[in-house]
Amino acid sequence: MSILFSCNVVKRVQDGEHLITDNTIVEDGSTVMSERINNIVIQKTNSGMRKFFGFPLKLHIYNLARPNIDSILEANVLSDSLKVKRKIGLLSKKQFDKLMSSRKNFNAWLKRTGEAPVIYDEDKTLKTANNLRKYYYSKGWFNNKVTFETVKDSNKLAQVTYNVVKHKPYILDSVNAIISSPAIEAIYARIARNSLLKTGEQYDSQNYENERERINTLLRNSGFYHFGQDYIRFEIDTIDTNHKVQTDLKIANRIIRGNDSVTVTPFKVYKIREVNVFTDSNFNNRFKAITDTVNYKKYNLYSKEKLRYRAKALTDAIFINKGEIYSDLARSRTQRYLNDLQMFRYPDIEFIENEDDSTLTANIRLEPKKKYSLSFDPEINTSNIQTIGFSFSTGLKIRNVFRGAETLDISGIAAIGASKSRNDPEAAFFDINEFGGNIRLTIPRIFSPFNTNKIIPKYMSPSTSINLSATSQQNIGLDKQSLSGIFSYNWFPSKTVTNKLDLFNVNFVKNLNTSNYFGVYTNSYNSLTSIAEDIGYITEDEDLYDSSLSAPYEPADVFIANVLSNNTSLEPGDSDYSTVQNIEERKERLTEDNLIFSTSFDYKKDKRKNIFDNDFSVFKWRVELAGNLLSTISDLSGLNKNQDNNYEVFGVAFSQYIKTEVDYVKYLDLGRQNVLAFRSYAGIAIPYGNSNSIPFAESFFAGGPNDNRAWSAYNLGPGSSQSTNEFNEANFKIHLSAEQRFSLFGAFQGAVFIDAGNIWNVLDNVEDDAATFTSLKDLKDIAVGSGFGIRYDFDFFVLRFDTGFKTYDPSQTDSKRWFRNYNFTNAVYNIGINYPF
């Protein structure tokens, strides 16, 4: 087997050459597993050489290509005129030429998609050894020794082993600061307090680079406008120091280069003399004179037309203040805040040095965007409920609505569609419709009667959003109308942290077509029909549906009423009685109107540096309180409760609950497009006071392409119950995922994954033991799915196809939970856009 494998991978390796199959770094007798150190190797093996049990897929694809395809086609086809004539007679000259071209193109595709064999090159091995010496030197092992050994065999394969002997490391002994400029020397003691160069620690050159950046940043934010990293250098001494490093930190004076002279002068602190804001700078009015000037809080605002903005709206976005020292931080914050306003194109900030003293004039040039912008978005779509649908949405953005840099977004949507369930030929073809509108006002500050500057300073880019929306849907499920309003604050304490406070979030949902409940939830209807047949309530030729009625499922409701009032042979202790009771409770819950008045807080810490970063973490936390304000008002007002002992507002019992969610995602970059990703999630929503259950829209579900991929969406749980409901949901959820992603060839990527989790009911009105979570022993009902996936990267999005297998199914009996129906017939196939987490 190994001989056949070797022959295959060396198919394109010439005599006298050797394919590298392994690079190993051995450090003081131990194999190095660190990806950082292994990446130092210049001549790496073919991708996949050590993956998939040593199956280099890209190399095998490359080996399928013919290195001399033109010569082969010439010798086997084109040189034989009779053969060419015969093929042209069968095809045509044009088709024959396309055939030859396609064979060449396919051969070229194999070469592009595959990967040429990596042939051992001793020069690159020598360079790698030298780079390893430099790396270990940079970490304090100045006397390290690196050798290498290459083992070649008769099968044209080669393995390289790098042996590293580190010897005794050098320790940082002292840091002596030599500063030429008195102004810098005066503040250096404060800067040195948090130095990254710690005496007693092992030498690390990266610490010196980081310290240089740190000092430069602090000085640039301390008024030294002309300072740069090049003025900082370190000189180290290790001669006769007994493996100790003595360091001189030198900060030189400023060098000013003229046309034919060089001047050396001490650095000095610059202050801001003036801050000028040009509010309407653009190419078209560059020659116009300034006609409107406003001086507001030491800021000079200039406009060539009438000033469109209130002065405070602009100055609140500026952190460069007259009389203060120059600061890079103030400049970057100003740039970011002005961009966040979405009022201007590429704000430009320029500092001009005043020659008469150590001051700067800051000129901020703003080019306003158009006040109005209009968008249109038509769509044609299909789904599992409609054969075809057409929708049209439009949006109007109005900038600077109240002259305070506010943004008003007005949008609307209109959609019609033809449902797949349309049985009446006389009914209109387009029997689905949806209409909706949304108004959103964004204010670039905290809109509050209280002063919040000390809690949320303006450098956190705070904003206020007021959002109102309304939608109406017909023949989509039960049909519904909804109204919602949100008053929220957003701010960014740091580059990685985002905070959002929904101070008021009101959502009202009214179901319009509740009589069609069993037309939507057909599994429940079928269960009722089966029970009715079993007890002789109806015959096998009958059902609980009457199309002649205005509410055709009314017989089903009558049957439920008869069962629960003990007018059938079923008794409260029977399992079928419990089934009917559960169906009625679920129907009541899913058809009730909802009024949710809540307050929530969202915290997000995202350490991802950019879209190419594959070594980061994301933490999210959300907490929501609903119904407390309405409950307090109802108590104080002495409102009467309904028959279910609940308060009502506008005839609807409002929801009251507390809900919290925690979500953590971690990516580990293993190198060479190999990423290990983890996700952990937990959420719970507890009803109390005016509610004994959670609204359907606020509950949790499991399964689907972004959850446990071995189950389809809403199909898993709750707990170990064998539910046949179309939509399974509960108020407590745990989810865990681990996925390894790797490159296959070209833009194709692969993945293997394992998902675990489930949903349960807890502290609500559900009493089914199989569906509830009462103690830690219920964790045995965590479902486990595993599988693999293929992805194609389009650069701007990833198309994903995952196959999930039920590895541990808690709905089965204890002895049949592991690896039952673990096959492609019972697998779940998921198609998704982008990664699941």
Side-chain angles (χ1 to χ4, degrees):
M1 175 69 178
S2 61
I3 295 176
L4 291 174
F5 171 78
S6 299
C7 292
N8 192 10
V9 296
V10 299
K11 184 176 180 180
R12 303 301 180 201
V13 179
Q14 303 298 319
D15 292 339
E17 297 179 338
H18 291 81
L19 176 75
I20 295 184
T21 60
D22 192 20
N23 288 305
T24 304
I25 300 174
V26 178
E27 179 187 287
D28 290 339
S30 300
T31 301
V32 175
M33 304 304 295
S34 168
E35 189 71 22
R36 168 67 183 89
I37 299 177
N38 278 282
N39 278 337
I40 296 174
V41 177
I42 296 174
Q43 194 175 29
K44 295 178 172 61
T45 60
N46 286 97
S47 58
M49 186 64 74
R50 301 183 69 178
K51 299 177 191 174
F52 313 115
F53 307 100
F55 187 77
L57 179 60
K58 289 187 176 182
L59 176 57
H60 283 286
I61 293 174
Y62 182 89
N63 286 341
L64 292 174
R66 307 300 291 270
N68 52 346
I69 186 67
D70 291 331
S71 301
I72 292 172
L73 291 177
E74 178 65 31
N76 294 342
V77 181
L78 300 177
S79 62
D80 189 338
S81 59
L82 292 177
K83 184 182 288 187
V84 172
K85 186 176 181 180
R86 185 165 59 253
K87 286 185 175 292
I88 291 176
L90 290 172
L91 301 172
S92 73
K93 180 65 167 63
K94 184 176 181 180
Q95 290 176 330
F96 173 75
D97 291 340
K98 284 188 176 181
L99 176 62
M100 294 297 101
S101 178
S102 65
R103 292 183 62 175
K104 292 180 182 179
N105 291 338
F106 179 68
N107 196 76
W109 179 85
L110 291 173
K111 287 185 175 182
R112 288 196 310 272
T113 304
E115 190 176 75
V118 178
I119 305 302
Y120 172 74
D121 185 331
E122 187 167 352
D123 288 340
K124 293 181 180 179
T125 305
L126 288 167
K127 289 180 180 178
T128 295
N130 190 44
N131 287 345
L132 285 170
R133 293 187 193 98
K134 292 179 180 178
Y135 171 78
Y136 283 96
Y137 185 96
S138 72
K139 296 301 178 182
W141 291 286
F142 294 164
N143 301 323
N144 75 81
K145 182 180 180 181
V146 179
T147 59
F148 65 87
E149 179 184 2
T150 304
V151 178
K152 304 175 183 177
D153 62 23
S154 58
N155 292 323
K156 300 182 179 180
L157 302 179
Q159 296 181 337
V160 183
T161 302
Y162 299 91
N163 292 292
V164 180
V165 180
K166 295 185 294 185
H167 294 299
K168 187 177 180 179
Y170 279 71
I171 306 300
L172 181 60
D173 181 61
S174 62
V175 179
N176 179 39
I178 303 173
I179 302 173
S180 301
S181 298
I184 295 179
E185 187 176 24
I187 67 170
Y188 179 75
R190 173 173 57 85
I191 293 176
R193 290 173 192 158
N194 298 314
S195 175
L196 302 177
L197 301 179
K198 309 291 186 182
T199 58
E201 291 186 356
Q202 185 170 326
Y203 174 90
D204 189 335
S205 64
Q206 188 60 50
N207 289 339
Y208 284 75
E209 290 300 317
N210 294 341
E211 177 67 0
R212 178 182 283 109
E213 291 180 9
R214 190 186 74 89
I215 293 174
N216 178 68
T217 299
L218 290 173
L219 292 178
R220 293 280 299 175
N221 288 327
S222 299
F224 296 96
Y225 174 68
H226 291 291
F227 194 82
Q229 281 194 49
D230 293 343
Y231 290 102
I232 306 172
R233 77 176 193 274
F234 296 98
E235 294 181 0
I236 64 173
D237 181 13
T238 59
I239 300 175
D240 298 328
T241 60
N242 192 23
H243 290 85
K244 294 182 179 179
V245 178
Q246 297 171 354
T247 302
D248 286 339
L249 164 61
K250 295 185 176 182
I251 301 179
N253 280 327
R254 178 188 174 194
I255 298 175
I256 304 173
R257 290 182 171 85
N259 294 330
D260 53 1
S261 64
V262 175
T263 304
V264 178
T265 183
F267 282 100
K268 56 185 178 180
V269 174
Y270 282 78
K271 290 188 175 182
I272 306 298
R273 177 195 285 184
E274 296 288 345
V275 181
N276 302 319
V277 184
F278 301 92
T279 63
D280 55 357
S281 295
N282 58 55
F283 183 80
N284 293 330
N285 67 7
R286 64 192 184 278
F287 299 121
K288 291 182 179 180
I290 293 173
T291 60
D292 194 357
T293 302
V294 174
N295 184 272
Y296 179 80
K297 290 186 176 180
K298 300 182 181 180
Y299 294 94
N300 304 315
L301 282 70
Y302 301 104
S303 179
K304 296 181 179 181
E305 299 175 358
K306 183 175 177 58
L307 185 63
R308 305 179 191 177
Y309 308 89
R310 290 202 305 272
K312 187 178 186 303
L314 297 181
T315 58
D316 277 354
I318 299 173
F319 297 84
I320 304 167
N321 298 314
K322 181 178 180 178
E324 294 185 358
I325 62 174
Y326 169 82
S327 169
D328 270 358
L329 182 61
R331 177 177 185 162
S332 62
R333 284 177 172 173
T334 301
Q335 190 85 40
R336 188 186 74 175
Y337 204 124
L338 288 171
N339 279 318
D340 288 344
L341 291 179
Q342 299 183 29
M343 295 286 124
F344 310 103
R345 294 187 179 90
Y346 316 114
D348 177 64
I349 303 175
E350 177 189 25
F351 290 90
I352 298 176
E353 184 176 356
N354 301 305
E355 296 181 358
D356 56 336
D357 56 7
S358 302
T359 62
L360 300 170
T361 296
N363 292 325
I364 303 173
R365 293 180 173 85
L366 306 175
E367 181 182 353
K369 294 181 179 179
K370 292 182 178 179
K371 185 176 181 66
Y372 302 97
S373 59
L374 192 62
S375 63
F376 299 95
D377 187 16
E379 284 187 3
I380 301 176
N381 51 66
T382 62
S383 69
N384 60 338
I385 64 171
Q386 64 180 13
T387 304
I388 189 171
F390 302 91
S391 66
F392 176 80
S393 59
T394 183
L396 173 65
K397 181 185 289 290
I398 307 174
R399 296 181 177 88
N400 197 33
V401 183
F402 305 114
R403 298 184 65 241
E406 305 89 355
T407 302
L408 181 65
D409 292 282
I410 304 173
S411 61
I413 183 173
I416 58 173
S419 67
K420 291 183 177 180
S421 60
R422 186 175 66 93
N423 297 318
D424 185 359
E426 297 183 0
F429 179 75
F430 291 107
D431 56 346
I432 296 176
N433 65 68
E434 177 181 2
F435 301 95
N438 186 81
I439 300 176
R440 179 185 180 90
L441 176 65
T442 303
I443 305 170
R445 56 192 169 275
I446 297 296
F447 186 72
S448 168
F450 309 104
N451 188 348
T452 61
N453 290 336
K454 292 184 178 180
I455 303 174
I456 308 175
K458 69 176 186 177
Y459 75 81
M460 294 184 181
S461 299
S463 65
T464 303
S465 295
I466 303 172
N467 194 88
L468 300 173
S469 63
T471 60
S472 175
Q473 298 174 339
Q474 287 190 330
N475 206 22
I476 301 177
L478 300 177
D479 299 349
K480 65 179 181 179
Q481 292 176 341
S482 63
L483 296 170
S484 68
I486 303 174
F487 186 97
S488 65
Y489 299 127
N490 299 268
W491 69 98
F492 306 90
S494 69
K495 291 182 179 179
T496 60
V497 175
T498 302
N499 289 335
K500 180 182 179 183
L501 173 64
D502 284 353
L503 193 60
F504 302 111
N505 188 335
V506 184
N507 190 21
F508 173 73
V509 177
K510 180 177 179 61
N511 293 300
L512 303 177
N513 190 17
T514 57
S515 62
N516 191 43
Y517 176 83
F518 290 115
V520 176
Y521 299 94
T522 55
N523 287 349
S524 297
Y525 173 76
N526 293 335
S527 295
L528 289 177
T529 301
S530 178
I531 293 172
E533 290 177 357
D534 291 342
I535 65 174
Y537 185 88
I538 59 174
T539 66
E540 293 184 0
D541 296 331
E542 297 177 318
D543 60 21
L544 299 173
Y545 179 88
D546 190 343
S547 60
S548 64
L549 299 175
S550 58
Y553 288 100
E554 184 179 333
D557 293 325
V558 173
F559 173 65
I560 292 174
N562 285 330
V563 170
L564 299 183
S565 59
N566 299 319
N567 290 330
T568 68
S569 60
L570 294 177
E571 297 181 354
D574 298 338
S575 60
D576 284 345
Y577 183 97
S578 297
T579 300
V580 174
Q581 188 176 45
N582 289 337
I583 289 174
E584 172 62 10
E585 289 177 354
R586 180 175 170 83
K587 175 176 178 288
E588 288 296 320
R589 179 162 175 262
L590 296 185
T591 58
E592 67 181 359
D593 297 335
N594 294 132
L595 175 61
I596 304 173
F597 195 116
S598 67
T599 298
S600 64
F601 175 74
D602 289 83
Y603 172 89
K604 179 180 179 181
K605 187 170 187 177
D606 188 348
K607 293 185 177 181
R608 189 167 193 172
K609 298 175 183 177
N610 52 61
I611 61 173
F612 304 106
D613 185 7
N614 283 319
D615 198 345
F616 67 93
S617 64
V618 179
F619 175 78
K620 300 177 185 177
W621 175 61
R622 173 181 170 83
V623 61
E624 179 182 5
L625 287 168
N628 291 349
L629 180 61
L630 293 181
S631 179
T632 301
I633 294 174
S634 299
D635 284 339
L636 295 176
S637 303
L639 295 181
N640 295 323
K641 295 185 177 181
N642 62 16
Q643 60 183 6
D644 296 321
N645 200 34
N646 293 327
Y647 290 118
E648 292 184 349
V649 175
F650 303 122
V652 178
F654 58 85
S655 298
Q656 191 170 9
Y657 59 86
I658 180 172
K659 180 179 182 180
T660 186
E661 301 168 80
V662 178
D663 193 356
Y664 179 75
V665 173
K666 175 64 179 177
Y667 277 40
L668 297 173
D669 191 347
L670 304 181
R672 306 188 72 177
Q673 297 181 312
N674 192 1
V675 177
L676 188 59
F678 300 93
R679 184 194 181 198
S680 56
Y681 172 90
I684 186 170
I686 302 174
Y688 64 94
N690 210 56
S691 299
N692 55 17
S693 64
I694 298 299
F696 181 81
E698 297 295 329
S699 58
F700 303 103
F701 72 92
N706 297 321
D707 197 80
N708 197 322
R709 284 160 280 185
W711 281 262
S712 55
Y714 293 97
N715 234 13
L716 173 59
S720 60
S721 60
Q722 297 179 340
S723 174
T724 59
N725 292 326
E726 291 84 352
F727 302 101
N728 294 308
E729 43 81 35
N731 66 327
F732 175 48
K733 177 177 180 177
I734 295 176
H735 175 76
L736 303 166
S737 279
E739 178 172 288
Q740 184 162 6
R741 302 163 187 165
F742 44 83
S743 174
L744 290 176
F745 54 87
F748 283 96
Q749 301 173 354
V752 291
F753 60 82
I754 182 168
D755 302 321
N758 208 333
I759 56 173
W760 294 267
N761 289 93
V762 58
L763 300 175
D764 63 0
N765 60 349
V766 176
E767 299 178 355
D768 183 1
D769 290 338
T772 56
F773 189 99
T774 56
S775 66
L776 291 178
K777 66 181 179 63
D778 290 315
L779 293 176
K780 72 179 187 302
D781 295 334
I782 287 181
V784 179
S786 57
F788 61 90
I790 303 293
R791 291 86 189 272
Y792 189 87
D793 191 349
F794 287 94
D795 290 334
F796 51 94
F797 75 92
V798 174
L799 180 63
R800 173 166 53 92
F801 180 79
D802 290 332
T803 302
F805 302 94
K806 293 179 177 64
T807 309
Y808 178 84
D809 188 352
S811 67
Q812 304 296 324
T813 58
D814 290 346
S815 61
K816 296 182 179 180
R817 290 187 172 187
W818 284 103
F819 297 103
R820 291 286 174 169
N821 300 319
Y822 196 88
N823 50 57
F824 285 98
T825 302
N826 293 285
V828 174
Y829 301 96
N830 300 278
I831 297 177
I833 301 297
N834 294 327
Y835 297 110
F837 55 90

